[in-house]
């Protein structure tokens, strides 16, 4: 009988500890349940999540906890790197704009073809170009190709593009639709 009481006490104590750990753990990252933007592309996680004072709003507007702005961006565009591919959030008018860079790390390398998937809200077809500050245009190898969807969770319709940036610098990628326009700056070494 005494053994049963001891075991019951241990089980109750363990239950309290587990409850405290589980309940307290949900607050540590500051991410409400369901606010993350977990996804995969090509077998890799694609959901950068900000930390260290930078915020990377997810599809639902929550702050995510696993990636950080690396400072690798230029002219005000932050590059978010974390568990998967780097991500950039564009500056937009009448739209929201995100880019997913299919590279291991930034900055991009001059002369390499880079796949970039874009998500942009608004209406109408997507028009896109990339220009160096000296007026040189990047070669658009393919796209924009509209995607039916993917596991990358950001607002708006999705398109894929392939670019070759011929020289180092800070490249402005301009995107526009019938309603909505925006841009990102991408560092190329």
């Amino acid at each position: 009988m005494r053994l049963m009481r001891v075991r019951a006490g241990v089980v109750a104590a363990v239950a309290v500890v587990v409850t405290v750990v589980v309940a307290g753990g949900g607050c540590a990252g500051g991410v409400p349940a369901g606010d993350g933007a977990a996804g995969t592309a090509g077998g890799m996680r694609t959901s950068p999540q900000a930390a260290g004072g930078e915020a990377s709003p997810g599809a639902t507007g929550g702050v995510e906890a696993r990636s950080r702005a690396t400072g690798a961006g230029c002219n005000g565009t932050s590059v978010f790197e974390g568990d998967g591919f780097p991500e950039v959030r564009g500056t937009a008018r009448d739209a929201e704009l995100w880019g997913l860079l299919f590279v291991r790390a930034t900055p991009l390398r001059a002369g390499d073809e880079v796949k970039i998937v874009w998500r942009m809200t608004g209406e109408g077809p997507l028009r896109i170009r990339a220009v160096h500050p000296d007026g040189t245009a990047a070669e658009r190898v393919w796209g924009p190709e509209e995607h039916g969807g993917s596991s990358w969770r950001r607002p708006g319709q999705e398109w894929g593009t392939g670019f070759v940036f011929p020289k180092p610098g800070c490249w402005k990628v301009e995107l526009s639709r019938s309603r909505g326009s925006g841009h990102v700056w991408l560092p190329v070494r």
Side-chain angles (χ1 to χ4, degrees), residues 120-172:
M120 186 173 181
T121 60
E123 295 174 2
L126 182 70
R127 292 173 303 282
I128 186 168
R129 70 183 195 133
V131 181
H132 190 273
D134 71 4
T136 303
E139 177 187 358
R140 191 175 67 216
V141 180
W142 56 274
E145 294 176 359
E146 190 168 2
H147 294 172
S150 74
S151 59
W152 182 40
R153 293 178 8 195
R154 292 292 180 203
Q157 290 174 280
E158 184 175 297
W159 291 268
T161 57
F163 280 100
V164 173
F165 300 93
K167 61 183 173 181
C170 205
W171 289 79
K172 185 178 187 181

Side-chain angles (χ1 to χ4, degrees), residues 10-45:
V10 170
V11 169
V14 169
V16 169
V17 170
V18 168
T19 302
V20 169
V21 169
V22 170
C27 298
V31 181
D35 258 3
T40 60
M44 296 183 69
R45 288 186 54 78

Side-chain angles (χ1 to χ4, degrees), residues 47-50 66-70 72 78-87 101 103-107:
S47 61
Q49 301 166 347
R66 286 193 188 148
S67 74
R68 57 188 168 73
T70 63
S78 293
V79 176
F80 296 94
E81 294 186 5
D83 293 341
F85 294 114
E87 184 176 39
L101 311 174
V103 297
R104 293 279 177 205
T106 57

